[in-house]
Amino acid sequence: MLNLFTGLFSFQFSSIEDLDAMLENGPWFIRNNLLIQKKWNPDVNLLKEDVGNVLVWVKLHGVLVTAFSEDGLSVIATKLGTPLMLDSYTSDMYSKEGHV
């Protein structure tokens, strides 16, 4: 539900597990706009916050085989910001190739 006064969306979940799954499986977009999620509690200020840092998942295309290693991908990602981790698919693919 969108609150037109604050510009905030609110969602209700049938279980804590569903809420946690939504928070963990993002990022989420509405009409190609990033939806920044935050778990509500009674102390949360419902005014829009200025966002300084946002964690994003970046999909890299055309990575050379010679750069396809944890270190190589980290160097590429460093040009975009501070890399935190490989996603599970890339990590699994990298492991199956026998490089780890």
Side-chain angles (χ1 to χ4, degrees):
M1 175 174 23
L2 172 64
N3 181 320
L4 293 176
F5 178 73
T6 63
L8 299 174
F9 289 91
S10 64
F11 301 90
Q12 185 172 349
F13 297 88
S14 57
S15 70
I16 293 296
E17 292 79 17
D18 290 344
L19 169 63
D20 291 339
M22 184 276 306
L23 291 172
E24 292 172 9
N25 293 317
W28 298 95
F29 293 86
I30 295 179
R31 296 184 181 172
N32 291 323
N33 291 295
L34 178 62
L35 178 67
I36 298 173
Q37 304 106 345
K38 187 174 184 180
K39 199 177 225 181
W40 181 85
N41 69 55
D43 298 325
V44 169
N45 181 352
L46 292 180
L47 298 176
K48 284 187 178 179
E49 299 176 4
D50 287 335
V51 178
N53 294 311
V54 176
L55 300 177
V56 295
W57 175 70
V58 177
K59 187 173 187 176
L60 302 172
H61 296 275
V63 175
L64 299 175
V65 173
T66 55
F68 195 77
S69 68
E70 193 166 351
D71 290 340
L73 294 172
S74 180
V75 168
I76 294 168
T78 300
K79 300 298 180 182
L80 302 171
T82 304
L84 301 178
M85 62 183 278
L86 291 176
D87 68 309
S88 60
Y89 176 79
T90 305
S91 184
D92 288 347
M93 187 170 43
Y94 179 67
S95 297
K96 289 177 185 173
E97 295 295 323
H99 295 104
V100 175

